[in-house]
Amino acid sequence: MAFSVPKTRDMMQSLFNPLTPKTTFDLVTLLALSTHMLVSLAFPLAAKRMILMTSFAFWRLCYNGGLGWILNWQSSRHGLVALFKRKGWLDPGRGGKVYVWLRGELEAKMGPDYSFESVPIEFNVWLLYRQLVDLILLNDFAAYFFLCSCYIGSASDAEPWHSLLRIAGGMILLAFNLWVKVDAHRVVRDYAWYWGDFFFLIEQTLTFDGVFEMAPHPMYSIGYAGYYGGSLITGSYTVFYVSLAAHMLQFLFLSFVENPHIEKTYERPPLAVQVIKKSRTRRLSLPLSDSTDEAIKDASGLCNKNSIREKHSSMWRPDLIVFKHFDLFRASDILIVLLLTYSVGVPVCFMWITGYTQIVLNYAIVQCIGWILFRTLALGLLLKKQSTSQLITRWYIKRGGNSEEAFSSWRAVYNTAMIMTYASFGLVALAAYHWGNADYGSIVLFHTLGSLLIGFHVWSSRSVYDILGDFGWFYGDFFARDSSMLSLAPADIKLYYTGIYRYLNNPEKVIGQAAFYGLALISRSQAVFALALLLQMCTFLFGAYVETPHMQKIYGAQMRRDSGIVRTVKNAVNKGIGQPVFLDSALHVESEPGLLHSTASDSSTMVHLLANTTKPVRDILLETKDLISITTARIAEKTVPSELSKVDYPAFYSLKLLPGRALNAYEIGRKKETSAKNDSNKNAYYLGESIRVTWQAPFGHSRRDWIGVYPVTANFSNQITTVSSKGCYVYIHPDENLLTEMVVGDSVFASRVQKMVSFKTNSGGNGAKRRGAGVIQVLQGESLFSSVALPFKTGTYEMRLHHGGTHAVLAQSRPFEITACDANDVIEALGDESVVGLQSPHAGTGQANESDTLSMRTGTNRTADLEDPEVLSQALLVVVNKTFTVTDSHVIAPSSPRESEKHNINEIGIRDVVVETDVVEPLESIHDVIAADNVLEEKQSKRLGYAIKEYFGVEFAADVLVHAAKHGATVYDVGKRIVEARKALSLYSSTNIEA
């Protein structure tokens, strides 16, 4: 719905102007603010410090925890808007007095251009949410302000000028904080200031102007400088650490709430949105004849196949980035460990055993200087020669190598130099660490500041890597000018000033040594500080004489002169003085805000190592967990009778699984080792295959009844479910209230009523709708489990039908098995999906009906030669599509009388919502990249890796698939890799069998 956004009033003006009429929300906010002033005036110092600190903690948690949870709920499920729709609070027909009160509150806050009826409910809910934000944020600020006032004068400075410097610095930070907030509000206005894009979208893109060119997320980063200004003015360690904790909470809010929403809204939509949009576009396009369609597909496939170039091994083996992607069986990684052991580990042991700290310190300083000079000057000279004459590439070509080998060797050398620089700095800091008789407060302060600098260094380095990737991180443009020369080269080699480069032209040169200054603070060592300065100067020389000349030669006019920070400062000075002191000579540079992607992944090797060495402890924990689960189940069982007593006709609830493709395989004799008797009592499905289940429930059942999928051994009770379904659930008959939370790609609403039948019964029900005595009406329907609603792990499972949003069990299905077929049978077993969705009988989708889709494919060569990459890639395409299947559920409308007649329920006057569901597969050809937008998230890569292992017997690490997708690996590329792996492993297995 398009609408004109009314103008909103300034919060400070409407709240604190005595001439402005006050709403109930305003009065509550003012009352809460006045309590802080009352506490600061009425209580003694110690008491009011404690009360105000508690108050600040409460309001800060309300901000980051409460508002964060609401925003995350709204972003993922439209939760807050759905709540108002369900309750009808903004509906004149259902809202009653609440509607009248809320409407009056909103109209009193808005101007003459606002009309309550003409704007959508999302806008009105956002206006109400603003009132909650004002209440929490103003009280958060007031609590902090009065807390700081309680600590003024608590500092004990040695000299008066210390106090003057401290207070002056604090005032400067406060003024800077005020300017940041004012300029940020100028750019984003009330819409983004109050998170309006969580509720509705306006016609605009992300704006990077003013202070937003100076720092990422300035309202959360440099916008909290006032906290540290307050800490300086008070001179209190308590205020400083409280401020630091509050700032860290704000960064958590940014990481878990704002950043995910920004990414999916402005940068990269979720996979489900991309797949469904592509599918609907394809469906709306004009259909081609079968012959023409096949001809186009064949030509496209031939073209794509011919255009595939041989992928270098670097596409499959992620490089060692410091210690990320460490491989215990890679020779270069082992050598680095040995080098660290001899250069750092041995001196540390020597110092610990002998106590000769000064000798080790001298050795560490000399070693650190050597690695600094080698990393910056020696490697800088090599890069200079590589830029001018391609020295390294020529060297490898002369000796039988190529450019790929030259770049690969360079990456190993550069990463080794980087690791040894970090390690040598750490050794110097360890040997020089001393604090003598320093007071405890100073020790904690310096360690805190040093740790913050190290954390800042890690963040900046990861931000640089996120933008540059492997190619840019290792100066790949010194080795390749276009994408055809190196496998790691991007398709388009040019400058993009995005991410951290939006604010700094060369972050490595400016803030790339923050960790070393942090070590200097922690160790309290002048030697570490001097070495950090040396590295900083050498980095400046490297940038000035190696990197900048090369970039000017390669990119020319694409380079900009001023960074975002410099431009912001110039504009602020020009605006403040009133005349152009600085001229903006920055060149126009192409910017793509959507290039920021997060590819960080964490290693869990040490966790697994500790787990294997602490089996007794782990066993005790598992036994304790089982005991708690059993106790919980027994306690919960006592509450079941009260829940089920509210259910009418519990005997008429039932579940039945429809046959799966794996069961069909049993029936036609593929699994000869399984007897026919066992097959008849066992349902089986292939991994990734959609599952359909029919259900039955009385007419008056709860519309929140739901079916969950669980391992058969997960629950101890048949009456109540005691474990989480982990997202594997579907509502059997959702109504309008539930469907208000439907988002694109939802799997939990894939159900529909098929018919209603009558049953005779000897007992009545309390409120069940009946035609006559002893007759009840029972609804029968079907639910679809697909995509994330499916458990993606082989094993034996069961389904449970629960009552009204609770975990009280009404019915259970027979156990069923999720298994994987042989690799030769993948296309035949999964190529024709047995579940195409839940469609209305009159839906003209043109898809095969159930009898067609349940029939097995004929004419398929089951013993296909899987040593042919083309053949295996076709099977892999099926597996990838089943792994990344997306559920496309959409509400048609409340059913018309004609539609009701088709469902045999018009005779009792039901007007129900109708949900249609399609199962959409993302890929069409083996020459499609295995991930949308070349981005494969870690969770998705683990899912795909598990499917490949189960179906093809080859195991890929998650980071390998992420790395391959990042560099454009297609299904054919992965299939070829699987063929090579299967051949190597099968030859080894054959040798063992013969032996």
Side-chain angles (χ1 to χ4, degrees), residues 39 250 371 410 442 497 503 512 529 541 657 750 764 788 894 931 940 946:
V39 168
Q250 195 65 29
W371 282 112
W410 161 260
S442 299
Y497 288 102
Y503 319 105
F529 183 77
L541 292 176
L657 294 166
V788 295
Q940 296 171 342
Y946 180 78

Side-chain angles (χ1 to χ4, degrees), residues 323-326 600-608 938 959:
F323 283 108
K324 185 182 178 183
H325 308 309
F326 179 80
S601 62
D602 298 324
S603 172
S604 58
T605 305
M606 185 58 67
V607 176
H608 294 310
E938 185 176 2
D959 58 344

